Amino acid sequence: MARINPEFTNELKKFGAFDTNACYNCGNCTAVCSLSDEDNSFPRKMIRYSVLGLESEIQTSLDPWLCYYCGECSTTCPREADPGELMMSLRRWLSAKYDWTGLSGLLYKSKTASAIAFLLLLVAVVWFAAYEQFNIETVMHYGHFFEMAAITLVFTLILLPNIIHMWWLTVLKPGIKAPLFAYFKATSELVVHMFTQKRTLGCDDSQVRWVEHFILVLAYLSLLFTTVFLNWFSSQSVFVIVLGYVESVLIFLVTFDFIRRRIQKNDEVSKYSHPSDWLFVIWLFLIGLTAFVVRLFIDFNFLVNNIWLYLVHLIVMVQWALLIVPFGKWTHFLYRSFAIYFNCLTLAPQKLEKQADAL
Amino acid sequence: MKKKVGVYICHCGGNISDYVDVEKVRQSVESINGVYLAKTTMFACADSNQKDMVEDIREQNLDGVVVAACSPKLHLLTFRAVVERAGMNKYNFVHANIREQVSWAHSDNKTGATEKAIQIVKAAIAKVQNSEALEPVKVQATKAVAVIGAGVAGMRAAIELAEAGSEVYLIERSFFVGGRIAQWDNICGTEETGKELVTRLYDEVIKHKHVTLFTGAEVIENRGSVGNFMLKVKVTPRYFKLPCSDGKLQEAIDVCPVIVPDEFNFNITSRKAIYHNYPSEYPQLPAIDMENCTRCGKCENVCSSIDFTQKTEYLNLKVGSVLLATGYDPYEPKKGEFAYGEIDHVVTLPQFKRIVHYCDEKLSYKGKDIKHIAYIYCVGSRQVDGENKYCSRYCCTVNIHTAITVKKKYKNIYNYHFNRGIRTYGKQEVWYDESSRLGDIYLQSFDNDPPVVEKRGDKILVKIKDVLTTDKQLEVVADLVVLVTGMVPRKDNSIGNLLKIPKGRDNFFNEIHMKLRPVETVIDGVTIAGASQGPKNVMESVNSALAAATKSFSLVDSGELALEPTVAEVDEQTCEWCGKCDEACPFNAFEKVEIEGKLIARVNPVVCKGCGMCLPVCPVNALNLIGLTDKDVENMISALIPND
């Protein structure tokens, strides 16, 4: 027995949803969706749950993560209820629900809170640099140190507990009893989807979107590796230096294209941009661009007299690492791939049952 | 015996001649004694053949005509008109059906079909040879119509009839006009209030010199028939000479000690024995409900216009036609039906509309603020177990319209519609759309699995297995449950019995033909309009009212009515009144009369429909049907049996 809560849609609107009430349950969205299947029928079910405000059903569902937003449902919806954007909003809402700190929700819902957080970190970085008397070497040293510390802390304190929370909500709570070997078996799916977003290929729309996204993910992850572990900014190795250049260029080129699309609004997927979407693409663009220019200044020996440039890069980095990665859109990288991983677990017992029935 | 009978056998373009050898039929009958000419024709109904027939009848001086063709249902009237054009009495024409009953039925046996066709045509000839010229029964019609019920349908019909030039008696049982619409505020579609509509209609009714309005009036007796109904009307006084002077009425109401449930508000409030429905109602004169009044006299002391000496009056009205617009009652849920009568905050849609009427700033009922409202649809309609199988048509739209009104009128209202499929047909779909967009939640169940209303603590829960959410069990905490009740026939429908109006399976008054004769009843001269015939919204009620008015007017306007002469007749010699024919007659056409000291039955030819129900029950065979006498039938049987 689930209790209806009509006020839920008001909450969901803060995460970007539009006119969910327009839905009259025709099911067209599910019919046109190329990713929806017998096991996971969406988006109609999720829209119905949202209209009725069945929070617990939505929380325990993986469906929003299995949608890769081609936008076909929104284009063909006879009531213009924008099911695609509703699924997007549900992903934001779910990210907020998984986050044990509650900061995600705050930042998603409030532009003011986001602005204050970003501003505070800017002030902190500038204050720290001033404290170090704008000594470029010290600042860069601590900058590099910060990167390593941030990765470790954000992952262990925020992301890992949130993934466990997600697991608890979507696997344990609904009572899915997956055998241990299923967890091992599904790991390959996790890795493949995390690095390739293979499922997007099932969408009907142009696959340029997937190619760009694929390049971006690889470039981002390798740049992270190059700066943090190969210490790009201090490296003397030509290979490492060139590698970093290529990665950063790819990042800002692809994100530039993403930003262009969000401005032009030609595709369904880039028609609506929540503040979190803008922050994500712009900050990623800035990371690529500033990293590229910083290394360029190093190579041409300009940086010593232009510490401000490194400061800009560091500010962007700090805001990215402490806000967007743990509490912003960055998390979809993890939640999407883990959703597929958990989905494999939920399917495992069903398949066993089906086999048993067949026998 | 006729000497000059003309027989026409139709090919029907092959429909008949492909299976029946029409030439053989012609040859078999042409030599029959009395048959003057026998012809075959490609299409008997074609203009050219009709002309030939007219010529034949005129030039050959035919005295009887048989057409063997399709079913008389299709062309009896056509050929009757043909012979009339030629100057022959139309009852000297006999129609033989050799298509539906022969060629189509026996397409597998051509020889047999031809044989059967011959017999049927012979029988028809046998009948026409003894047929008699008959003249229609003529009745003088009174140019007046009684319209019963002064609701929206009745008042609209009355105005239309009066405009056309008929005298109109508008008879209303309650003390105030307007019927159901007087009880509604904004009515969906035009957003006018019911009061506004009543005012407009009443103004016209009153200013029209041909309309006489009776309130507190009831038809208690009916004699006569189409053209001349004699109605006895009982008029109950309202015990008011004039309106009370300023402020005195309220004082008189205040001192009245009698408190009864107020049916105008569907019993959610109470009223006194001295009452009026709302300040500007019509007629603008309060009334005293003598059934409940104790005659304590307190009101008389306050208001001098009250007059207890007024007496019940009886009027005799003579009218040519009666138009029934007696309306409907809202379905009254049984105790315990969705917790009605068990939980305080379960009300019907009409009650809810009155609650909304009385709440201005915020919606509250019985001391509780209302925010979450659950509407349960199809209560009393489309019943699985009950008798009301029909859909009441108006309730989906009206309820959704009410839900929108409520949402706009008050703050923070949440509407939940527990439906079985929404039927906001036609243009009314826009309100469904509006309500969905305003955030109303629609939950749907199948008829065999209705929602459940229960009380847990001080909360009312409505539960449903929602087919729109993959049969998930859902529940809503509601402050108020509104049962969307349908329409049922009036509890007191005695007027129908008085006039012998047949009722349909749904117990509403029944028309002759749903599509082709939608406002006439089998009782000649009685038409039906509005929701007395079945669930209708205001627009549909007025549509049918105008149709019924036109139909009634066409009866009384001519001054004289020509009725079918093919009715039953009584042989006064043989008849010894036993009353069996009277019992068998569905139309009340018999009366007991005394002729020279002998009691016999007499047929009122105006009322008799010639159905023949009385004939077989007569123990002395004193009854005959004009146009289809025993002799006719015997002759036809003799012709049907091959005599060799």
Side-chain angles (χ1 to χ4, degrees):
Chain A
M1 186 68 66
R3 187 165 290 180
I4 293 172
N5 170 20
E7 289 173 48
F8 179 67
T9 45
N10 296 335
E11 169 80 359
L12 210 53
K13 275 185 187 149
K14 294 177 191 155
F15 287 87
F18 297 94
D19 199 2
T20 22
N21 293 323
C23 172
Y24 59 19
N25 292 297
C26 67
N28 186 64
C29 46
T30 301
V32 297
C33 178
S34 50
L35 293 180
S36 168
D37 58 30
E38 231 178 283
D39 295 320
N40 299 92
S41 162
F42 57 83
R44 198 198 83 97
K45 198 160 99 184
M46 280 298 125
I47 295 161
R48 186 68 182 157
Y49 283 175
S50 308
V51 169
L52 300 180
L54 307 183
E55 284 190 46
S56 130
E57 274 72 5
I58 300 171
Q59 266 185 34
T60 53
S61 171
L62 291 167
D63 286 358
W65 297 112
L66 300 179
C67 157
Y68 276 70
Y69 205 164
C70 65
E72 194 72 1
C73 51
S74 290
T75 342
T76 54
C77 174
R79 303 275 291 177
E80 296 174 352
D82 271 309
E85 192 56 24
L86 175 83
M87 292 295 269
M88 186 72 218
S89 317
L90 285 177
R91 287 192 284 274
R92 293 182 195 120
W93 182 80
L94 282 176
S95 307
K97 280 286 150 185
Y98 300 153
D99 180 22
W100 66 271
T101 63
L103 278 172
S104 294
L106 183 67
L107 296 179
Y108 272 123
K109 284 193 279 189
S110 162
K111 283 182 201 166
T112 327
S114 297
I116 291 171
F118 275 77
L119 214 61
L120 278 177
L121 289 180
L122 182 145
V123 172
V125 172
V126 175
W127 178 81
F128 172 77
Y131 180 77
E132 295 295 337
Q133 287 152 359
F134 298 104
N135 182 313
I136 182 76
E137 274 181 34
T138 338
V139 175
M140 274 184 80
H141 169 73
Y142 279 112
H144 187 226
F145 178 74
F146 165 80
E147 283 169 0
M148 289 189 289
I151 289 177
T152 323
L153 290 177
V154 164
F155 185 75
T156 50
L157 293 183
I158 312 287
L159 298 177
L160 190 63
N162 286 354
I163 292 284
I164 294 170
H165 189 199
M166 179 187 182
W167 170 72
W168 183 79
L169 283 171
T170 60
V171 181
L172 276 199
K173 209 176 161 196
I176 291 157
K177 291 190 175 59
L180 203 58
F181 78 84
Y183 281 91
F184 287 110
K185 229 179 121 190
T187 327
S188 59
E189 290 288 311
L190 173 69
V191 175
V192 168
H193 282 276
M194 187 179 278
F195 292 101
T196 67
Q197 302 78 44
K198 196 175 84 180
R199 196 173 155 85
T200 324
L201 291 169
C203 284
D204 277 340
D205 63 338
S206 138
Q207 281 162 4
V208 176
R209 179 165 73 104
W210 173 78
V211 174
E212 284 187 332
H213 191 271
F214 180 61
I215 293 173
L216 182 63
V217 171
L218 291 188
Y220 169 75
L221 290 175
S222 44
L223 181 69
L224 193 68
F225 185 80
T226 315
T227 43
V228 177
F229 297 104
L230 303 179
N231 205 354
W232 183 38
F233 288 156
S234 314
S235 178
Q236 301 298 319
S237 152
V238 178
F239 172 75
V240 173
I241 293 169
V242 172
L243 184 68
Y245 272 132
V246 172
E247 290 157 353
S248 52
V249 168
L250 284 175
I251 289 176
F252 76 72
L253 283 185
V254 172
T255 44
F256 179 77
D257 195 46
F258 281 2
I259 292 169
R260 175 192 63 80
R261 286 192 200 193
R262 285 199 180 273
I263 292 169
Q264 288 182 342
K265 302 181 179 184
N266 289 333
D267 317 314
E268 198 59 46
V269 62
S270 39
K271 209 179 244 173
Y272 306 108
S273 301
H274 188 264
S276 60
D277 299 326
W278 284 121
L279 286 176
F280 183 75
V281 283
I282 293 173
W283 253 247
L284 202 48
F285 170 78
L286 290 177
I287 285 173
L289 189 67
T290 53
F292 179 83
V293 181
V294 165
R295 182 66 229 193
L296 208 65
F297 274 36
I298 293 172
D299 288 340
F300 287 90
N301 260 329
F302 290 162
L303 195 65
V304 186
N305 299 322
N306 290 289
I307 183 169
W308 61 270
L309 179 72
Y310 182 76
L311 276 186
V312 170
H313 176 70
L314 189 61
I315 289 164
V316 170
M317 281 297 297
V318 169
Q319 289 166 333
W320 173 261
L322 296 185
L323 293 175
I324 298 176
V325 173
F327 309 116
K329 194 178 173 171
W330 188 91
T331 50
H332 80 277
F333 169 71
L334 286 180
Y335 295 146
R336 272 202 182 286
S337 37
F338 272 95
I340 288 180
Y341 178 61
F342 295 146
N343 190 45
C344 287
L345 303 178
T346 62
L347 288 181
Q350 281 178 22
K351 277 185 184 153
L352 287 175
E353 265 172 46
K354 270 185 197 166
Q355 278 170 358
D357 286 347
L359 290 169
Chain B
M1 278 289 276
K2 292 194 174 63
K3 293 282 175 230
K4 295 184 98 175
V5 173
V7 182
Y8 298 84
I9 300 144
C10 182
H11 283 255
C12 197
N15 269 306
I16 295 170
S17 57
D18 283 354
Y19 310 103
V20 171
D21 184 346
V22 289
E23 181 52 31
K24 194 176 172 193
V25 177
R26 194 192 66 77
Q27 284 166 8
S28 316
V29 301
E30 72 176 340
S31 54
I32 293 175
N33 195 16
V35 173
Y36 185 77
L37 65 85
K39 288 180 174 177
T40 62
T41 167
M42 188 51 74
F43 286 107
C45 56
D47 272 358
S48 57
N49 185 65
Q50 289 193 22
K51 270 183 202 146
D52 289 350
M53 282 174 68
V54 171
E55 267 173 39
D56 286 349
I57 297 166
R58 283 200 183 130
E59 287 168 15
Q60 318 289 338
N61 272 322
L62 299 181
D63 54 7
V65 169
V66 169
V67 174
C70 53
S71 160
K73 275 202 163 182
L74 209 63
H75 278 308
L76 176 73
L77 297 179
T78 313
F79 296 118
R80 276 186 172 179
V82 171
V83 301
E84 275 196 315
R85 282 209 296 281
M88 181 188 275
N89 184 286
K90 64 184 178 187
Y91 296 97
N92 283 326
F93 162 76
V94 173
H95 198 112
N97 181 354
I98 59 165
R99 191 178 75 174
E100 282 82 348
Q101 287 179 2
V102 181
S103 66
W104 284 357
H106 306 293
S107 53
D108 55 337
N109 180 359
K110 292 185 185 180
T111 333
T114 307
E115 278 304 306
K116 184 175 174 183
I118 292 168
Q119 300 310 117
I120 284 180
V121 178
K122 280 183 178 170
I125 293 167
K127 176 162 192 277
V128 85
Q129 282 182 324
N130 286 302
S131 67
E132 280 172 38
L134 301 172
E135 289 308 318
V137 178
K138 297 262 165 88
V139 184
Q140 291 298 314
T142 313
K143 198 167 178 179
V145 177
V147 175
I148 300 177
V152 64
M155 286 204 279
R156 189 66 191 84
I159 294 163
E160 199 64 18
L161 283 160
E163 292 284 333
S166 165
E167 202 60 41
V168 182
Y169 302 109
L170 183 54
I171 300 164
E172 170 56 47
R173 185 161 61 184
S174 73
F175 287 111
F176 306 100
V177 302
R180 292 289 172 207
I181 59 163
Q183 292 168 292
W184 314 138
D185 288 343
N186 55 334
I187 292 177
C188 102
T190 54
E191 294 298 321
E192 283 160 296
T193 64
K195 256 193 239 176
E196 282 167 337
L197 290 178
V198 173
T199 307
R200 280 167 62 173
L201 289 168
Y202 181 79
D203 285 350
E204 276 192 71
V205 162
I206 282 307
K207 81 173 181 220
H208 213 290
K209 61 176 192 280
H210 288 305
V211 187
T212 315
L213 169 69
F214 301 99
T215 52
E218 207 173 341
V219 178
I220 53 164
E221 214 178 284
N222 163 45
R223 281 176 298 115
S225 52
V226 60
N228 298 288
F229 289 98
M230 316 289 285
L231 304 178
K232 189 170 184 184
V233 178
K234 174 184 168 192
V235 184
T236 313
R238 60 210 303 147
Y239 305 101
F240 268 89
K241 281 182 292 197
L242 291 164
C244 296
S245 44
D246 282 349
K248 290 291 180 196
L249 174 63
Q250 195 49 50
E251 225 176 287
I253 292 174
D254 289 344
V255 297
C256 177
V258 180
I259 296 172
V260 291
D262 187 354
E263 63 272 27
F264 187 78
N265 289 329
F266 302 100
N267 305 338
I268 56 167
T269 59
S270 52
R271 64 161 169 83
K272 298 294 183 68
I274 167 169
Y275 74 105
H276 62 147
N277 289 334
Y278 53 92
S280 59
E281 87 241 295
Y282 300 102
Q284 287 182 337
L285 195 59
I288 294 172
D289 156 21
M290 205 40 81
E291 269 176 38
N292 294 301
C293 175
T294 55
R295 301 293 295 268
C296 68
K298 284 182 183 159
C299 55
E300 244 179 326
N301 299 334
V302 178
C303 171
S304 55
S305 302
I306 293 170
D307 177 8
F308 280 111
T309 62
Q310 288 181 349
K311 293 271 178 300
T312 301
E313 286 178 67
Y314 294 90
L315 304 170
N316 290 306
L317 301 175
K318 190 178 173 192
V319 294
S321 174
V322 178
L323 190 155
L324 286 182
T326 50
Y328 71 98
D329 277 333
Y331 173 77
E332 177 72 17
K334 293 184 192 69
K335 189 172 158 53
E337 189 173 358
F338 297 108
Y340 184 76
E342 292 174 352
I343 299 176
D344 270 354
H345 288 83
V346 177
V347 298
T348 65
L349 177 61
Q351 289 173 334
F352 182 55
K353 285 176 83 74
R354 295 310 297 166
I355 294 169
V356 174
H357 172 84
Y358 285 109
C359 293
D360 286 331
E361 286 296 306
K362 61 176 185 181
L363 186 61
S364 65
Y365 180 58
K366 291 195 177 171
K368 180 171 160 190
D369 285 352
I370 310 294
K371 295 249 174 277
H372 298 267
I373 308 164
Y375 305 90
I376 298 177
Y377 284 66
C378 299
V379 178
S381 305
R382 302 169 71 199
Q383 289 177 326
V384 179
D385 301 319
E387 278 184 5
N388 303 346
K389 299 294 180 201
Y390 56 87
C391 161
S392 283
R393 292 165 61 84
Y394 93 114
C395 8
C396 278
T397 307
V398 168
N399 186 62
I400 289 173
H401 178 258
T402 308
I404 295 172
T405 307
V406 168
K407 204 160 198 172
K408 287 180 176 167
K409 189 171 173 184
Y410 313 104
K411 282 190 202 110
N412 299 327
I413 294 286
Y414 294 97
N415 292 321
Y416 309 88
H417 302 260
F418 292 80
N419 68 86
R420 276 166 54 190
I422 293 294
R423 295 181 172 182
T424 45
Y425 59 96
K427 296 176 183 178
Q428 300 163 156
E429 183 76 3
V430 292
W431 289 290
Y432 181 25
D433 183 78
E434 186 181 350
S435 124
S436 319
R437 290 197 187 270
L438 283 172
D440 282 12
I441 289 176
Y442 285 84
L443 304 148
Q444 193 172 332
S445 60
F446 288 124
D447 45 9
N448 52 5
D449 198 9
V452 175
V453 181
E454 61 180 43
K455 197 157 188 173
R456 198 184 297 157
D458 56 348
K459 279 181 179 152
I460 305 172
L461 293 174
V462 186
K463 296 177 177 178
I464 189 171
K465 197 166 113 190
D466 181 29
V467 297
L468 298 177
T469 319
T470 54
D471 278 348
K472 211 173 172 52
Q473 287 285 350
L474 299 172
E475 66 177 20
V476 165
V477 181
D479 302 319
L480 187 73
V481 176
V482 177
L483 305 182
V484 183
T485 46
M487 292 182 179
V488 292
R490 287 274 186 192
K491 210 177 283 167
D492 178 6
N493 239 341
S494 49
I495 183 72
N497 300 333
L498 205 69
L499 293 165
K500 293 202 178 296
I501 307 300
K503 289 172 184 166
R505 216 177 301 169
D506 53 10
N507 272 324
F508 285 98
F509 294 150
N510 220 5
E511 64 287 317
I512 294 181
H513 190 283
M514 198 186 265
K515 296 178 176 70
L516 302 176
R517 299 178 75 178
V519 294
E520 295 160 89
T521 66
V522 293
I523 305 302
D524 277 345
V526 179
T527 56
I528 48 176
S532 67
Q533 188 185 9
K536 288 191 181 75
N537 64 25
V538 176
M539 185 183 77
E540 291 155 353
S541 289
V542 173
N543 268 340
S544 71
L546 293 177
T550 313
K551 212 61 219 176
S552 281
F553 183 74
S554 73
L555 286 172
V556 301
D557 182 48
S558 55
E560 190 183 67
L561 296 171
L563 306 173
E564 281 280 319
T566 48
V567 295
E569 63 176 353
V570 179
D571 179 356
E572 294 182 1
Q573 301 301 317
T574 347
C575 176
E576 292 160 0
W577 172 265
C578 66
K580 283 194 175 146
C581 50
D582 188 32
E583 282 166 29
C585 180
F587 306 102
N588 230 14
F590 284 96
E591 52 185 337
K592 188 160 67 172
V593 291
E594 194 180 326
I595 287 182
E596 292 162 11
K598 184 186 166 198
L599 279 177
I600 59 160
R602 177 183 282 168
V603 177
N604 179 348
V606 181
V607 182
C608 176
K609 297 248 175 261
C611 70
M613 297 285 273
C614 50
L615 268 72
V617 300
C618 179
V620 292
N621 209 16
L623 288 159
N624 229 333
L625 210 55
I626 299 170
L628 195 67
T629 59
D630 287 355
K631 186 86 186 107
D632 290 338
V633 177
E634 280 161 20
N635 287 344
M636 286 163 80
I637 292 171
S638 306
L640 278 169
I641 300 164
N643 39 15
D644 47 25

